[in-house]
Amino acid sequence: RRPKKRKKKQVESSKSATSDEDDSSSKSLSSDGGEDGGVLEQQEEEAEQKRENALRLELDRLNQLPKASRYVRFKKPIIERCLSILAQQRRTKYQQSQLEKLLSQLELL
């Protein structure tokens, strides 16, 4: 049984290492100026638009389910909070991290 746990830890550590690499590469790309900055901003806007559309579709789907269900009572406030954060033009680092955590809970994107 121990080898299985070690493998799981290795997988988790490799996931965190790749996410750290992704974060650092996106930070270095966003710090560049010039034409690349405009392209990156446009890509970020498109990604946010896709997120918002997916969240709105999920909210519409939840509205068709019984309101008293645990599933709806759990998911609906999370989706509404995500949409409220996405609606803001400027976000704090806290809001951005909160949005990422909420989206990871939903497993939509």
Side-chain angles (χ1 to χ4, degrees):
R1 289 186 181 177
R2 285 190 178 210
K4 288 181 182 179
K5 288 182 180 179
R6 288 181 188 160
K7 287 181 182 179
K8 187 175 180 180
K9 287 181 182 178
Q10 289 173 350
V11 170
E12 290 175 0
S13 65
S14 66
K15 285 181 183 178
S16 65
T18 56
S19 65
D20 292 342
E21 290 171 5
D22 293 342
D23 291 342
S24 63
S25 64
S26 65
K27 288 178 186 175
S28 65
L29 290 174
S30 63
S31 63
D32 277 348
E35 295 175 15
D36 292 340
V39 172
L40 289 175
E41 288 177 14
Q42 185 178 9
Q43 290 174 347
E44 289 174 6
E45 278 185 35
E46 290 174 1
E48 285 187 7
Q49 190 66 33
K50 287 180 184 178
R51 282 184 192 148
E52 187 175 348
N53 289 338
L55 289 168
R56 290 195 187 281
L57 287 172
E58 184 69 11
L59 189 60
D60 289 342
R61 191 178 70 81
L62 289 177
N63 285 334
Q64 295 174 358
L65 298 174
K67 294 182 181 187
S69 74
R70 284 184 170 191
Y71 182 77
V72 172
R73 288 186 298 173
F74 173 75
K75 294 265 183 170
K76 195 171 180 179
I78 295 173
I79 292 174
E80 290 172 344
R81 179 64 181 144
C82 288
L83 287 172
S84 70
I85 293 173
L86 283 172
Q88 296 176 358
Q89 293 295 327
R90 292 186 171 192
R91 294 183 207 115
T92 63
K93 289 180 183 179
Y94 174 75
Q95 288 173 326
Q96 189 65 33
S97 67
Q98 186 181 26
L99 177 63
E100 291 170 6
K101 288 177 186 176
L102 292 172
L103 289 172
S104 69
Q105 285 181 343
L106 292 174
E107 300 174 356
L108 287 177
L109 305 170

